[in-house]
Structures are given as C-alpha cells and as structure tokens.
Amino acid sequence: QVQLVDSGGGLVQAGGSLRLSCVASGRTFSSAAMGWFRQAPGKERECVAAITRSGGITYYADSVKGRFTISRDNAKNTVYLQMNSLNPEDTAVYYCAARPTSAEYNYFYQPNQYGYWGQGTQVTVSS
C-alpha cells in the first residue's frame, strides 16, 4: 500500500514558478514509477511528467517540455515537479501518482496505469 500527499500548489502570476512535492508513505517508493498529472475543469486528466524508479529516465508532455522538471529523492520518499514560466493554461489541480513496478527503465503516462494517487494540489496562474 502506498499513500501519497501532494503539496506546493498556489496562486502565481504568469511567468512565475512553483515547486510541487509529493511524499509517499511505505517502503515501496523506490520500487515505484511516478507521475505528475493535471486536470483542468471540463478536461480529462493528463500526464505532464513521469519518471522511472531510479529517476534515470523522464517523460514530459509537449506542452510543458523545457518548462517543467520532474525529479525524485528516493531517500526522502519524495517526487518533485519544478514548474517554471507558468502560464494561465497551466491552471489545474495537479496530482502525483505511483505505480509499483519491477521494470527499472519504464515510465508510464496513462492515468489507468497508476493505482495510487495523491489528493491533488491546486495551481492557479493569473495573467
């Protein structure tokens, strides 16, 4: 069982930055691929970034490439999402997700590939 707690959201002006954190409970964090998703009102949940168990391979949605960075610290059971150059289109509830896996080099970017979710943290970018 994995429990995830997201934090770090807030209100920021366009062009600003935020860093989201997701702390996982349990001893399986280092065995889990992780992802950050977002969901805006009326839209489907989409993956913005994903990372393999060791952190060696990452994935980014085209819409955030070059602006967002996903990273993890397995010693702290934490995954981060550094978000720079934010724009109003980034406004959404952001969720972290975990998928325990034996695959060391795989990341996952579909919501139905993840079994554990954080509670979400609101990010609002004003113009």
Side-chain angles (χ1 to χ4, degrees):
Q1 195 78 355
V2 178
Q3 290 185 321
L4 305 173
V5 179
D6 311 327
S7 64
L11 174 63
V12 64
Q13 288 189 331
S17 298
L18 284 173
R19 187 174 84 154
L20 306 183
S21 299
C22 172
V23 180
S25 65
R27 294 179 290 179
T28 61
F29 180 76
S30 61
S31 299
M34 301 295 295
W36 281 100
F37 289 75
R38 67 186 181 189
Q39 189 165 21
K43 294 190 176 181
E44 293 187 352
R45 189 170 296 192
E46 63 168 345
C47 182
V48 296
I51 192 166
T52 55
R53 289 178 3 176
S54 65
I57 303 173
T58 55
Y59 159 86
Y60 296 96
D62 287 343
S63 58
V64 306
K65 231 174 249 184
R67 301 188 298 122
F68 290 11
T69 302
I70 187 171
S71 61
R72 66 189 296 163
D73 185 339
N74 285 349
K76 295 183 178 179
N77 279 14
T78 302
V79 62
Y80 304 98
L81 184 68
Q82 177 68 43
M83 306 186 295
N84 298 329
S85 301
L86 286 161
N87 60 61
E89 290 71 38
D90 296 315
T91 295
V93 179
Y94 284 71
Y95 301 88
C96 72
R99 174 184 166 129
T101 177
S102 59
E104 184 173 354
Y105 301 111
N106 285 14
Y107 56 75
F108 305 91
Y109 54 85
Q110 298 290 346
N112 61 11
Q113 293 176 310
Y114 288 86
Y116 301 97
W117 293 86
Q119 81 286 1
T121 185
Q122 176 71 47
V123 172
T124 303
V125 184
S126 63
S127 57

